[in-house]
Amino acid sequence: RRPSSDCRRGKASVAAAWRPASDQGTLADVAQLTGGRYYFMPTIDDLYEIYNFIRGNVTSTGVIVNTTSTASSSRVAAVVDCGAEQVQIACQWHAPGLKWTGGTPNKREIRVRLRTPQGRLLPADVAWVSRTVGDDHVVFTVEDPQPGRWQVEVETGGEGHARYTVGGWVRSGLQ
């Protein structure tokens, strides 16, 4: 099927297809006809990366990191520019029953921490950092962040490995 001629520019559509059996042609046509964007996600993990790009475009923030990896213990870098007023770094996972912890993770727990460009762990109780925790994500908001290469450390407990996606956005006067 082809999209109807009722699709109007000015009302951009974001279309995302999941798995090869989806009607990718129609979704791509709808996005093109409306001035929007089409994304294909072979796996559910790709949805997080697509969301991160959309969020960067909709909020006019710069995407500084957008990657999917596997953890029992790993790091992801996010570079923050010298004009940054605020940075948000989110870690999302698609592992039912896996919960965030601020301490050493036990089985079915995940810990996400930030290291500053100087290599120091970011304290959880400083006034210029807020943390939001959900069932499948944690988001750190850092006001007036130090410029440089930040590290996002992800660690799971027990023997398990978990797939996760880290997204980061910066609000900066340099954009």
Side-chain angles (χ1 to χ4, degrees):
R1 261 178 34 167
R2 293 283 172 217
S4 74
S5 59
D6 292 339
C7 291
R8 292 182 226 138
R9 290 207 176 267
K11 297 193 185 236
S13 295
V14 174
W18 183 36
R19 296 187 176 163
S22 57
D23 190 349
Q24 297 177 49
T26 298
L27 292 171
D29 287 347
V30 167
Q32 180 186 22
L33 287 170
T34 62
R37 186 123 190 230
Y38 167 75
Y39 299 93
F40 174 68
M41 54 185 170
T43 69
I44 195 67
D45 293 323
D46 299 312
L47 177 61
Y48 293 127
E49 287 190 26
I50 291 168
Y51 166 77
N52 292 340
F53 279 119
I54 293 170
R55 183 191 183 280
N57 288 331
V58 170
T59 62
S60 298
T61 55
V63 177
I64 58 171
V65 62
N66 190 18
T67 190
T68 298
S69 191
T70 302
S72 59
S73 180
S74 62
R75 285 185 178 187
V76 173
V79 178
V80 175
D81 67 61
C82 62
E85 300 159 9
Q86 181 189 69
V87 67
Q88 282 193 322
I89 296 178
C91 181
Q92 305 102 263
W93 53 89
H94 183 70
L98 191 62
K99 300 292 182 198
W100 182 85
T101 182
T104 302
N106 294 317
K107 191 173 184 177
R108 304 303 305 149
E109 289 182 325
I110 186 170
R111 174 170 63 182
V112 181
R113 304 184 300 180
L114 300 181
R115 281 198 185 271
T116 68
Q118 290 75 31
R120 289 187 222 105
L121 279 174
L122 193 66
D125 57 353
V126 293
W128 44 275
V129 177
S130 68
R131 181 180 59 229
T132 304
V133 179
D135 288 341
D136 61 354
H137 66 277
V138 61
V139 180
F140 297 90
T141 303
V142 181
E143 300 296 334
D144 195 27
Q146 299 169 6
R149 185 182 177 106
W150 288 69
Q151 295 289 328
V152 182
E153 296 181 351
V154 182
E155 180 182 3
T156 55
E159 301 294 320
H161 298 282
R163 297 224 4 112
Y164 67 90
T165 301
V166 171
W169 308 270
V170 66
R171 188 178 68 224
S172 172
L174 296 180
Q175 292 179 330

